[in-house]
Amino acid sequence: MLILEAAVNELIQFSPFTEMNGAAQMQTKQSLVFLEAQRAPIVPIQAEYLHRGSLKYEFSTELLQTPIQLIKINNVQAQIAEILNNLITHNVERVHEDAPLKFFELVQLLRAARFDDLEKLWNQYRNKPAYRQWILDAIPAIGTPAALKFIKEKFLAEDLTVAEAAQALIASIHMVTANTEAIKQVEALAMNNKIVENPVLREIVFLGYGTMISKYCVERTVCPAELIKPFQDLLAEAVAKDETQDIILLLKVLGNAGLPTSLKPITKILPIHGTAAASLPMRVHADAIMALRNIAKKEPRMIQELALQLYMDKALHPELRMLACIVLFETRPAMGLVITLANIVKTEENLQVASFTYSHMKSLTRSTAAIHASVAAACNVAVKFLSPRLDRPSLRFSKAIHMDIYNSPLMLGAAASTFYINDAATILPKSIVAKTSAYIAGAAADVLEVGVRTEGLQEALLKNPALMDNADRITKMKRVIKALSDLRTLPKRTPLASIYVKFFGQEIAFANIDKAILEQAIALFTGPSAQAFGRNAVQTLLSGASFRFTKPLLATEVRRILPTAAGLPMELNLCTAAVAAAAVQVKATTTPPLPENFHLAHLLKTDIQLETEIKPSIAMNTFAVMGINTAVLQTAMISKAKFNSILPSKISARLNINEGHFKIEALPVSVPEPIAAVQVETFAVARNIEDPAAARITPIIPAKVYEPISMDILRSKIASSAAASWSKSSEILQDVAVDKAISKPKAAKLNKKYCAKAYAIGLKSCLKIASENAAFIRDTALYKLVGKHTVALSLKQIEGEVIERLEMEVQVGPKAAEKLIKQINLSEEEIAEERPILMKLKKILAPGLKNGTISSSSSSSSSRSKSSSASSSSSSRVSSKAIGATASAKRLHSSSSSSSSSRSRSSISSSSSRSSSSSRSSSSRSVSRPSKSSSASSLASLFSASSSSSRSSARTSKQMIYRHKFQKNHKKQSQATSAAVSRSRSSASSFEAIYRKNKFLGSEVAPSFAIIFRAVRADHKVQGFELSAYLDKPSARIQIILAALAANNNWKLCADGVVLSKHKVTAKIGWGAECKQYDTIITAETGLLGPNPAARLRVTWNNLPSAIKHYAKIAYDYIPASVLAGLIKGKDENSVKQLSFTVAATSAKTLDIIWKTPTRTVYKLALHLPVAMPLEQIKGLTPFDDLADKIHYWFAKAGAAECSFDRDTLTTFNNRRYKNEMPLSCYQVLAKDCTDELKFIVLLKKDHIEQNHINVKIADIDIDLYPKNTDVIVKVNGREIPINNLPYQHPTAKIQIRPKAEGISIFAPSYGLHEVFFDRNSWKVKVVDWMRGQTCGLCGKADGEVKQEYRTPNGRLTKNAVSYAHSWVLPAESCRDTTECRMKHESVHLQKQTNLHGQESTCYAIEPVLRCLPGCFPVKTTSVTVGFHCMPAGSALNRPESIYDNSVDLRETAEAHLACSCTAQCN
């Protein structure tokens, strides 16, 4: 059989979008025709052929040829030198627009050069800084092992500094193509002694080795295990030597590599049952879990099993379980696994883990990305049967937040994830991880990830720095609690913060910050070397300095090469190069000149002038290529995007600290047009190596299509049957149907220009947009990109507005008045704006109201009376955002009809008399003339409709919540309501009296400071603003005036503020023409709402700009409905020109909020705060006098956890309540520092007459608090301190004892113990926020875990409160103890026989039970439920003392002793 002809037609299509129609395509046609046979056929050799598989296409690897240009290389050294000269010459002042393309050319030439050529190039230019920098930036972009070899040899030869080597290594590792040669180069670097000795370079190279392995194995099914074996051996060696820092670094290396063969070494580090790594620090375990993430990308099922095992292990630290949850969800688990997680969460006792997992699931349900579709569906099912209470709003609980946006047709999207991990409900989280991801063209990548750990940071900042490990103090405290033989202490937190950075899933840097590093940094910045550096920098500025910075970067180079039928490689390529440059010139002068050996403090006494000129510029080119790319010829379709920007500036600044003068000027500078431009163009190109300059460039869209065609012409051409001529004009229009062009016309050309003028600075900016695309052919995204697009931004001066410079000048002190340009005088009578007749009528009808003046009492009254009928007759219009009232809100509202009758004065009087506690006469007086103050302080009625009956019933319901009005602190609260109203008027009028006395403070006092903003014009017209501030200390008044400088502009803003008392501040703001066009009065005051401290802010106005009202309404419409959920809303008879905002602190962590607007009143009751408010400071009860101590106390108070006792009920730090049946005369550990530092111990006991005693051991003192008769006795180290001698201040430590209410308080926040309060009937213990999770005792761990509250000293979780409380009793050793305690802990034997698992068993309590000492008998007992461990009857315990470590087989009731009486036989 003879084949005469073979034809091949190959079509390759590519589109970055998911579109049915519209793709870039390349067609290959090949035809082979048999002509003749010129020789006899070759007879095949008779031999056995080996099977070698299918035919494979072999790609050329000789040269990394870029498809954007074809370079004919004749003399590579000379061509490199020519390109370097071009780049350095044309990128000095600003970046040339073709600089990125030239940088591409330089990289291409360096790739073609031999290693010897690189050596010669370096030797020629290494002493020329400009050339040196360009070479070092271009070498990593070569992308071959030669780049690594070059950097290695130059660093070992000490030709590179550490900074240069670090920069070059980071870039090279991520740009060099991974192969065996490159891996060997990095491995040799990692083992080099010079690299190992430098911590920074060692970290870079080690992490880079893992990255190189990951790149090498990314497309290989099986990766050689020997590549990562050396580092696995190093990890095993570091674990054996217990070198924590090395373990962490090597774990990160294995995590970067992401090889499944590393799973076993990593598992040995994980705290899984049976492993020897359980003793390693927790941060090592955390890094080991995070190292599994890259392995999960290759073996998700394997990692899922391990992560689930870690997550289900409830003995692990909560942080580790939450990290396992992160890893688990990154494997994109199936529905069954997600449901399994949900079932675990349903019974989860740790609230941190439950909150984190639930929030992670809930946030994933909102994901729209295609990659998360299955996980989102599974999480949506799982969340439905979980309790929404798990999504705790408090920031003290851990959270996982995931947000993304994804467009399926464009296959384009972005995502952001944040993991907020806390373990002890402290203010500062344990760690935060933030990650951003991108989705493009069907691929997903984690672009950037930053993680921060703050372990011990809060404690290091707030703990007493003088607290040292005093051996005597710790020994004494340990002697006290030695009776708790099985007490397990918590590990001491090492003050540490750490941070890591990942780029595209690879960790590129991390740092651990501890106390030693901070001390070294402080010593460096405060040492003589830093001062010498500062002195040299100042001298350089004085002599004049110029800096030029240029930085090229090959940002992206993504290539995909496919074989074609013709044998030529087709390439898809995306590459981006950018060049940034900045030229800076600085010159400083001082008056008087500085001496030779000056100190930096001399600068504070001189007049400094600094002139700076900065010219930053950037150019960036991006190419997207599809086509044939070889070293001989190139033919491709290219989409090219160019970005250029330059924004020069020239600034002059002057500073004189002695005279309080500062001036900064923006001087004129030549600005190119445009200052920023983006150009995108798509074209086809064909070039060959013989004549690269003769490249043929063809636009994708023919030029004739750009001509706009009107619809009339189009119809006329169609009517005249001219459609055939169109099809001949361009091949691209052949597929266009004529009828489609009529029904759906598309513009082929867009040209728009948008301009805006800023007359204040004399500049005009214009944005020009031009677009020519192929959307008229097919309405798809790819066709819209094809063509030519331009966006340009220009900035130039307005024609006729010549601005020479812009100035800002600040003058503080007595010379401020000299700087004012425009004199201001507001003391003359205000200009009457109404006609004379109206003025007279106003004086007759309202003699107390003058033109333009505003009284905070009378204006409120008048506006109230004018608007009462209008507000009462308005319909009950409910906003579309109004949320249905909650159950509590429904109880406050009463149903009624929507009648529109107005409220009469009698109804007001009756309702007022019901709500007022004063006499009938005072009530009627307040109704006859209601003031703004009284109306703002009274809480508005809530109702469902606008009838009188609904208002009345709502007002009655309202009284059930607030029985008291707002009582001002600066008034006597015991007087009647009418007197309070009168004083409110007088208080408000006192501001008016102060204002009337002197409207302009500048007539009597000089301005405290002045600020001038102005534009200096060529025509010498004054333009700008001046701001002056005046302070009148006798009247506690401040006045700020902002005035326009133009002579024909009388616009001003006048702000007056007066401190009427330490509890009330009033401010009046007017603006417009002579400050009279608009005005408002703002009053802020403190007081009481019932017994609770409160604050109120009121805003009243006469006239406001319509724009403010418009934008306020727009802002309200943008408020999410979820924010308004749970609010109680209703209409009220509020003033139409008043806002009121009242906040009442019902407790240290709850607020009631009342927001009154002209149309409605909104309540938010019992709003919980994440931190406690310093109510004692509000009431003036701060224990410390020093400002630093006050601030320290406030921070400690904000997050303090409180444990209290009242009437035999103890409330733990986690708000868990239980009855504490205390044994007589035995101390119980109430709260203690459970770390090895033992900063404090608080003990509690009940004496023989059942009175409480408190003992506090802190620092080097022992404090006893106990009742005696009607007083509380205080003893310090056994010596009684009379109450009259309090407060007591420790001579060296920040410890204070002072009376509080009817008891005594101890304050020591810097030692972790915020406050211990004791009186005859109750006590309270508060620990600071950074002690959360580190305490133990009756008050618990203060970690927020309510379900794990009852932990005994050995760490066991018990179910019974009595057993828990008794486990913390300090037992006696014998009757000879100095204490009166005669009890001990004992493992009791269960008296009855038990049949367990089919055999008779003997059971012993594994939870200690209080029993009297031998020789004593109980006089008071109680029953307690404890756990028992059972053994076959007849068997004996090998180690009876280890009974407490056994498991619980059953729970039974046992008898515990509470009081004992001893005989003489007790010894």
Side-chain angles (χ1 to χ4, degrees):
M1 183 177 64
L2 186 64
I3 299 176
L4 299 178
E5 185 178 358
V8 178
N9 187 6
E10 182 185 48
L11 182 66
I12 300 177
Q13 293 184 330
F14 173 77
S15 175
F17 315 118
T18 173
E19 297 175 322
M20 295 300 295
N21 299 309
Q25 62 186 33
M26 191 185 82
Q27 187 175 16
T28 304
K29 293 182 180 181
Q30 188 176 20
S31 179
L32 301 175
V33 180
F34 175 78
L35 298 178
E36 61 180 346
Q38 294 183 350
R39 64 179 64 182
I42 301 174
V43 178
I45 301 173
Q46 297 297 326
E48 185 178 353
Y49 291 92
L50 298 177
H51 178 71
R52 301 187 180 275
S54 61
L55 185 65
K56 294 183 179 180
Y57 184 91
E58 184 176 347
F59 295 103
S60 175
T61 57
E62 296 86 17
L63 184 63
L64 294 174
Q65 174 71 39
T66 58
I68 59 176
Q69 55 189 353
L70 196 58
I71 305 173
K72 188 174 183 179
I73 302 175
N74 298 320
N75 186 341
V76 67
Q77 291 190 32
Q79 288 175 284
I80 291 175
E82 181 183 353
I83 294 293
L84 280 174
N85 289 329
N86 182 285
L87 287 170
I88 293 171
T89 304
H90 295 88
N91 297 279
V92 179
E93 295 295 327
R94 58 173 292 185
V95 174
H96 193 275
E97 62 178 5
D98 292 331
L101 194 60
K102 285 293 183 181
F103 183 65
F104 271 125
E105 189 174 346
L106 174 63
V107 171
Q108 184 64 44
L109 291 171
L110 290 173
R111 288 173 178 175
R114 297 173 303 170
F115 188 79
D116 294 340
D117 295 328
L118 298 180
E119 290 279 0
K120 294 177 182 178
L121 184 69
W122 176 257
N123 293 331
Q124 182 180 357
Y125 294 114
R126 66 179 180 180
N127 295 324
K128 299 179 180 180
Y131 290 86
R132 177 190 181 99
Q133 189 60 46
W134 276 96
I135 293 173
L136 287 178
D137 288 331
I139 287 291
I142 295 176
T144 63
L148 290 170
K149 181 180 178 181
F150 178 85
I151 296 169
K152 172 189 171 184
E153 292 188 1
K154 297 311 159 193
F155 177 73
L156 296 180
E158 297 184 353
D159 283 349
L160 299 181
T161 64
V162 173
E164 289 175 335
Q167 172 189 331
L169 283 172
I170 291 177
S172 298
I173 287 168
H174 288 270
M175 291 183 181
V176 170
T177 303
N179 52 35
T180 53
E181 185 182 354
I183 292 173
K184 289 179 180 179
Q185 291 285 353
V186 179
E187 185 180 2
L189 275 171
M191 303 305 171
N192 188 276
N193 290 332
K194 197 167 184 180
I195 297 290
V196 172
E197 291 172 358
N198 189 294
V200 175
L201 295 180
R202 180 173 181 258
E203 178 182 312
I204 292 172
V205 173
F206 271 52
L207 294 176
Y209 185 83
T211 300
M212 196 66 69
I213 297 296
S214 176
K215 293 196 298 181
Y216 180 74
C217 299
V218 67
E219 292 185 358
R220 287 174 172 81
T221 306
V222 179
C223 197
E226 60 270 12
L227 293 178
I228 200 66
K229 187 68 167 57
F231 286 83
Q232 293 175 353
D233 296 338
L234 288 175
L235 176 62
E237 183 181 344
V239 173
K241 295 180 180 180
D242 196 20
E243 296 175 347
T244 302
Q245 297 298 330
D246 287 347
I247 295 174
I248 291 175
L249 175 59
L250 292 167
L251 281 173
K252 292 178 182 292
V253 173
L254 299 186
N256 274 0
L259 296 185
T261 56
S262 300
L263 185 58
K264 186 175 180 180
I266 294 175
T267 306
K268 293 180 179 180
I269 308 297
L270 294 174
I272 301 175
H273 292 300
T275 63
S279 60
L280 291 173
M282 195 185 65
R283 57 193 174 113
V284 173
H285 297 155
D287 288 328
I289 294 175
M290 297 298 277
L292 300 173
R293 298 166 71 189
N294 280 339
I295 302 177
K297 296 176 181 178
K298 293 187 176 181
E299 296 291 342
R301 294 292 181 88
M302 189 186 302
I303 300 302
Q304 282 175 2
E305 295 176 2
L306 181 57
L308 184 62
Q309 180 184 354
L310 292 167
Y311 182 82
M312 295 179 64
D313 189 355
K314 298 187 177 182
L316 287 182
H317 193 281
E319 182 185 359
L320 301 181
R321 297 180 62 196
M322 286 182 272
L323 292 177
C325 180
I326 295 174
V327 175
L328 195 58
F329 276 106
E330 287 190 354
T331 63
R332 294 192 284 277
M335 173 75 75
L337 187 52
V338 175
I339 299 301
T340 301
L341 278 180
N343 288 325
I344 296 173
V345 173
K346 288 180 68 175
T347 59
E348 179 58 53
E349 294 183 348
N350 190 286
L351 298 181
Q352 297 286 349
V353 175
S355 173
F356 183 85
T357 309
Y358 179 83
S359 62
H360 204 345
M361 289 182 176
K362 188 175 180 181
S363 61
L364 284 174
T365 59
R366 297 186 287 267
S367 176
T368 58
I371 196 173
H372 293 306
S374 60
V375 180
C379 290
N380 201 14
V381 175
V383 166
K384 290 186 183 300
F385 63 85
L386 289 177
S387 172
R389 289 181 299 175
L390 292 173
D391 190 15
R392 297 176 181 267
S394 174
L395 290 178
R396 292 183 178 274
F397 289 93
S398 303
K399 298 282 183 184
I401 302 171
H402 175 85
M403 297 178 294
D404 61 28
I405 181 171
Y406 186 77
N407 187 294
S408 293
L410 298 181
M411 289 197 296
L412 194 67
S417 300
T418 301
F419 305 110
Y420 178 94
I421 298 177
N422 210 343
D423 69 338
T426 55
I427 295 177
L428 284 181
K430 190 70 172 291
S431 63
I432 296 178
V433 178
K435 181 177 68 172
T436 59
S437 304
Y439 311 115
I440 182 170
D446 297 331
V447 180
L448 181 66
E449 180 179 327
V450 179
V452 179
R453 287 176 59 87
T454 60
E455 182 183 5
L457 181 62
Q458 186 177 359
E459 180 179 351
L461 294 175
L462 299 178
K463 187 173 67 175
N464 184 5
L467 181 62
M468 296 180 294
D469 294 334
N470 188 304
D472 293 339
R473 175 183 65 82
I474 294 178
T475 301
K476 290 178 182 178
M477 290 193 174
K478 286 185 175 179
R479 191 180 297 122
V480 173
I481 58 173
K482 68 177 180 179
L484 298 177
S485 57
D486 57 348
L487 178 64
R488 295 183 180 179
T489 60
L490 299 173
K492 175 184 174 183
R493 284 183 180 174
T494 304
L496 174 72
S498 61
I499 183 172
Y500 73 85
V501 179
K502 279 189 174 184
F503 192 62
F504 285 103
Q506 296 293 308
E507 192 160 335
I508 61 174
F510 74 96
N512 293 322
I513 304 171
D514 55 16
K515 188 176 180 180
I517 292 179
L518 293 177
E519 290 176 351
Q520 292 176 5
I522 293 172
L524 179 64
F525 284 105
T526 57
S529 59
Q531 295 180 2
F533 176 80
R535 189 181 299 109
N536 293 335
V538 172
Q539 290 176 347
T540 302
L541 293 178
L542 291 175
S543 59
S546 61
F547 308 95
R548 286 179 175 84
F549 169 82
T550 306
K551 182 68 177 177
L553 176 65
L554 182 61
T556 59
E557 188 175 17
V558 181
R559 310 178 72 175
R560 186 72 175 177
I561 303 174
L562 303 173
T564 65
L568 298 175
M570 191 215 75
E571 181 171 340
L572 295 172
N573 185 291
L574 177 66
C575 54
T576 300
V579 179
V584 181
Q585 292 183 354
V586 184
K587 180 69 170 67
T589 56
T590 59
T591 307
L594 293 173
E596 289 187 8
N597 297 323
F598 67 93
H599 195 271
L600 293 180
H602 290 150
L603 295 175
L604 303 178
K605 302 177 182 179
T606 60
D607 187 354
I608 307 171
Q609 185 167 356
L610 191 68
E611 295 182 359
T612 306
E613 185 174 1
I614 306 174
K615 295 180 180 179
S617 58
I618 185 172
M620 183 171 65
N621 286 5
T622 298
F623 297 88
V625 183
M626 178 181 178
I628 300 298
N629 176 29
T630 68
V632 178
L633 63 91
Q634 292 177 345
T635 173
M637 183 177 69
I638 299 179
S639 181
K640 177 182 178 182
K642 294 178 62 176
F643 170 75
N644 300 289
S645 177
I646 180 171
L647 188 61
S649 60
K650 192 174 183 180
I651 298 172
S652 175
R654 186 175 181 180
L655 175 64
N656 192 324
I657 298 178
N658 270 349
E659 296 185 359
H661 180 247
F662 172 73
K663 184 177 182 180
I664 185 169
E665 297 177 335
L667 302 175
V669 64
S670 176
V671 178
E673 187 177 351
I675 61 172
V678 178
Q679 296 178 357
V680 181
E681 185 178 4
T682 306
F683 53 88
V685 64
R687 58 174 76 95
N688 63 78
I689 194 63
E690 293 302 324
D691 192 5
R696 186 176 63 183
I697 299 176
T698 307
I700 296 298
I701 303 177
K704 191 172 183 179
V705 180
Y706 294 152
E707 299 175 3
I709 304 174
S710 67
M711 290 302 297
D712 295 336
I713 298 176
L714 183 63
R715 292 190 185 96
S716 64
K717 286 193 175 185
I718 295 172
S720 60
S721 302
S725 62
W726 280 22
S727 61
K728 299 178 183 178
S729 63
S730 175
E731 294 181 0
I732 202 166
L733 292 176
Q734 289 180 2
D735 299 332
V736 182
V738 177
D739 55 347
K740 185 177 179 180
I742 298 174
S743 60
K744 195 174 182 181
K746 296 291 180 180
K749 197 168 184 179
L750 172 68
N751 200 337
K752 295 286 185 180
K753 188 175 182 180
Y754 307 93
C755 293
K757 296 181 179 180
Y759 288 97
I761 57 177
L763 293 179
K764 179 178 73 171
S765 63
C766 291
L767 181 67
K768 184 179 180 181
I769 302 175
S771 177
E772 301 165 347
N773 58 49
F776 67 97
I777 302 175
R778 189 171 289 134
D779 191 12
T780 61
L782 187 64
Y783 277 68
K784 291 177 181 177
L785 287 179
V786 169
K788 193 173 183 179
H789 315 276
T790 304
V791 178
L793 177 65
S794 60
L795 191 67
K796 56 184 179 180
Q797 285 192 344
I798 302 174
E799 295 79 359
E801 300 285 332
V802 181
I803 304 294
E804 293 184 348
R805 63 182 182 275
L806 302 176
E807 291 183 353
M808 185 189 78
E809 190 171 5
V810 180
Q811 179 67 56
V812 180
K815 294 185 178 181
E818 302 175 3
K819 299 296 180 180
L820 294 179
I821 299 174
K822 189 174 185 179
Q823 298 301 320
I824 301 172
N825 189 1
L826 302 178
S827 59
E828 69 273 4
E829 284 295 324
E830 300 178 7
I831 302 172
E833 297 180 359
E834 295 93 352
R835 288 176 295 177
I837 298 176
L838 293 178
M839 293 286 294
K840 292 180 180 179
L841 285 174
K842 184 175 288 189
K843 289 182 179 180
I844 295 173
L845 296 176
L849 184 65
K850 287 190 176 181
N851 296 335
T853 61
I854 305 171
S855 171
S856 63
S857 59
S858 59
S859 65
S860 170
S861 177
S862 60
S863 63
R864 183 78 172 266
S865 61
K866 291 175 183 177
S867 61
S868 61
S869 61
S871 62
S872 62
S873 62
S874 61
S875 62
S876 177
R877 180 176 58 85
V878 180
S879 172
S880 60
K881 290 188 177 184
I883 309 300
T886 58
S888 60
K890 290 179 180 177
R891 290 195 295 269
L892 291 173
H893 287 261
S894 60
S895 60
S896 60
S897 62
S898 58
S899 171
S900 59
S901 60
S902 61
R903 180 176 301 206
S904 63
R905 290 185 179 272
S906 61
S907 65
I908 298 176
S909 177
S910 62
S911 61
S912 298
S913 62
R914 285 194 298 270
S915 62
S916 174
S917 60
S918 60
S919 63
R920 182 177 298 274
S921 61
S922 63
S923 175
S924 61
R925 180 178 179 182
S926 64
V927 170
S928 62
R929 186 165 179 166
S931 68
K932 178 187 296 185
S933 175
S934 61
S935 67
S937 61
S938 63
L939 300 176
S941 61
L942 303 177
F943 52 93
S944 300
S946 58
S947 65
S948 301
S949 60
S950 67
R951 287 175 183 159
S952 178
S953 61
R955 177 168 300 201
T956 304
S957 301
K958 172 208 64 181
Q959 292 181 14
M960 298 172 62
I961 303 177
Y962 293 104
R963 299 182 181 274
H964 302 278
K965 295 183 178 181
F966 186 90
Q967 299 178 1
K968 305 174 184 178
N969 278 337
H970 64 290
K971 298 295 178 183
K972 293 182 179 179
Q973 301 176 6
S974 60
Q975 296 188 5
T977 306
S978 60
V981 172
S982 174
R983 277 193 306 276
S984 176
R985 286 199 201 99
S986 64
S987 174
S989 62
S990 64
F991 168 78
E992 198 64 33
I994 295 173
Y995 179 73
R996 289 174 183 273
K997 184 178 179 181
N998 188 4
K999 295 181 180 179
F1000 180 48
L1001 287 179
S1003 59
E1004 294 184 359
V1005 297
S1008 300
F1009 67 87
I1011 303 177
I1012 313 297
F1013 307 90
R1014 67 170 178 170
V1016 180
R1017 299 167 55 94
D1019 56 7
H1020 304 292
K1021 291 183 179 179
V1022 182
Q1023 180 176 315
F1025 295 89
E1026 68 177 15
L1027 185 145
S1028 55
Y1030 305 87
L1031 178 63
D1032 184 23
K1033 292 183 179 180
S1035 61
R1037 178 187 175 191
I1038 186 173
Q1039 186 177 57
I1040 299 175
I1041 297 178
L1042 177 66
L1045 294 178
N1048 57 350
N1049 191 343
N1050 62 352
W1051 186 93
K1052 293 184 181 67
L1053 184 146
C1054 305
D1056 271 275
V1058 179
V1059 181
L1060 298 175
S1061 69
K1062 66 179 183 179
H1063 299 291
K1064 184 174 182 179
V1065 177
T1066 302
K1068 175 183 177 181
I1069 302 176
W1071 67 97
E1074 299 295 342
C1075 298
K1076 300 172 187 175
Q1077 190 173 358
Y1078 307 106
D1079 58 72
T1080 181
I1081 289 183
I1082 304 173
T1083 302
E1085 54 191 341
T1086 62
L1088 294 175
L1089 204 60
N1092 303 319
R1096 182 174 64 184
L1097 179 69
R1098 288 182 299 161
V1099 181
T1100 60
W1101 63 88
N1102 274 348
N1103 191 19
L1104 286 178
S1106 58
I1108 291 181
K1109 302 175 184 179
H1110 174 70
Y1111 288 116
K1113 184 179 183 303
I1114 293 177
Y1116 177 80
D1117 292 337
Y1118 274 99
I1119 299 176
S1122 58
V1123 175
L1124 304 178
L1127 302 180
I1128 307 172
K1129 302 179 181 180
K1131 287 189 176 180
D1132 200 2
E1133 69 281 3
N1134 301 341
S1135 170
V1136 295
K1137 294 186 177 182
Q1138 176 176 296
L1139 297 176
S1140 176
F1141 185 75
T1142 305
V1143 177
T1146 54
S1147 70
K1149 288 190 176 182
T1150 56
L1151 295 176
D1152 284 352
I1153 298 176
I1154 305 101
W1155 170 251
K1156 299 174 68 176
T1157 68
T1159 57
R1160 63 179 59 250
T1161 301
V1162 179
Y1163 296 81
K1164 179 63 177 179
L1165 306 180
L1167 176 65
H1168 290 272
L1169 301 177
V1171 297
M1173 295 181 296
L1175 296 183
E1176 288 84 358
Q1177 287 70 42
I1178 297 176
K1179 300 174 183 178
L1181 300 176
T1182 310
F1184 298 99
D1185 298 327
D1186 183 68
L1187 179 60
D1189 293 338
K1190 282 177 179 286
I1191 295 174
H1192 195 179
Y1193 177 83
W1194 292 343
F1195 274 107
K1197 170 67 177 175
E1202 179 180 310
C1203 175
S1204 61
F1205 181 81
D1206 189 20
R1207 298 178 182 177
D1208 291 333
T1209 300
L1210 189 147
T1211 304
T1212 67
F1213 290 131
N1214 293 331
N1215 290 323
R1216 184 80 179 263
R1217 293 178 174 83
Y1218 65 90
K1219 293 284 185 180
N1220 183 21
E1221 298 188 53
M1222 299 172 59
L1224 294 182
S1225 303
C1226 290
Y1227 274 114
Q1228 288 178 287
V1229 178
L1230 192 56
K1232 68 177 285 289
D1233 175 12
C1234 241
T1235 66
D1236 293 333
E1237 286 188 340
L1238 278 175
K1239 291 181 280 291
F1240 64 86
I1241 300 178
V1242 182
L1243 302 176
L1244 169 70
K1245 78 171 181 178
K1246 183 184 291 185
D1247 61 14
H1248 60 283
I1249 58 175
E1250 298 196 352
Q1251 288 184 329
N1252 291 330
H1253 290 230
I1254 291 283
N1255 176 262
V1256 181
K1257 302 179 187 299
I1258 189 168
D1260 57 349
I1261 60 175
D1262 210 326
I1263 306 171
D1264 289 290
L1265 303 173
Y1266 60 91
K1268 185 177 182 181
N1269 298 328
T1270 59
D1271 299 326
V1272 175
I1273 304 301
V1274 183
K1275 285 187 176 181
V1276 177
N1277 291 337
R1279 187 177 64 182
E1280 182 176 340
I1281 298 179
I1283 301 298
N1284 297 333
N1285 292 348
L1286 295 180
Y1288 165 83
Q1289 176 67 54
H1290 190 280
T1292 57
K1294 300 295 184 182
I1295 303 173
Q1296 192 176 97
I1297 307 173
R1298 64 185 304 146
K1300 180 179 178 181
E1302 297 180 357
I1304 301 294
S1305 281
I1306 304 170
F1307 300 96
S1310 60
Y1311 286 83
L1313 192 61
H1314 177 71
E1315 180 183 1
V1316 177
F1317 171 78
F1318 179 81
D1319 64 13
R1320 290 182 54 83
N1321 301 315
S1322 64
W1323 51 259
K1324 292 180 182 179
V1325 177
K1326 297 180 182 179
V1327 295
V1328 297
D1329 185 75
W1330 49 267
M1331 280 301 300
R1332 289 178 181 267
Q1334 300 186 78
T1335 62
C1336 56
L1338 294 179
C1339 289
K1341 292 184 66 175
D1343 57 357
E1345 299 297 337
V1346 181
K1347 295 182 179 180
Q1348 303 181 52
E1349 190 66 274
Y1350 300 149
R1351 286 203 179 271
T1352 60
N1354 63 355
R1356 181 184 296 275
L1357 187 63
T1358 183
K1359 303 294 184 182
N1360 186 268
V1362 178
S1363 173
Y1364 164 69
H1366 288 180
S1367 69
W1368 288 101
V1369 171
L1370 296 180
E1373 294 182 357
S1374 67
C1375 291
R1376 292 190 294 270
D1377 276 359
T1378 56
T1379 64
E1380 298 178 2
C1381 182
R1382 298 296 179 259
M1383 298 182 197
K1384 66 175 183 176
H1385 286 139
E1386 193 174 287
S1387 175
V1388 298
H1389 172 256
L1390 187 62
Q1391 299 300 325
K1392 63 181 182 180
Q1393 288 292 329
T1394 304
N1395 190 301
L1396 191 66
H1397 304 305
Q1399 61 179 345
E1400 294 295 326
S1401 302
T1402 304
C1403 302
Y1404 294 88
I1406 62 169
E1407 296 172 6
V1409 179
L1410 277 181
R1411 289 299 177 96
C1412 294
L1413 291 172
C1416 302
F1417 58 91
V1419 295
K1420 184 178 180 181
T1421 62
T1422 186
S1423 61
V1424 57
T1425 302
V1426 295
F1428 285 86
H1429 178 73
C1430 301
M1431 296 163 294
S1435 64
L1437 283 174
N1438 294 327
R1439 295 178 60 190
E1441 65 276 5
S1442 64
I1443 185 64
Y1444 296 126
D1445 295 329
N1446 289 296
S1447 60
V1448 177
D1449 292 328
L1450 56 88
R1451 290 192 173 273
E1452 291 289 344
T1453 302
E1455 183 183 78
H1457 301 167
L1458 295 180
C1460 299
S1461 179
C1462 297
T1463 62
Q1465 286 76 21
C1466 180
N1467 51 29

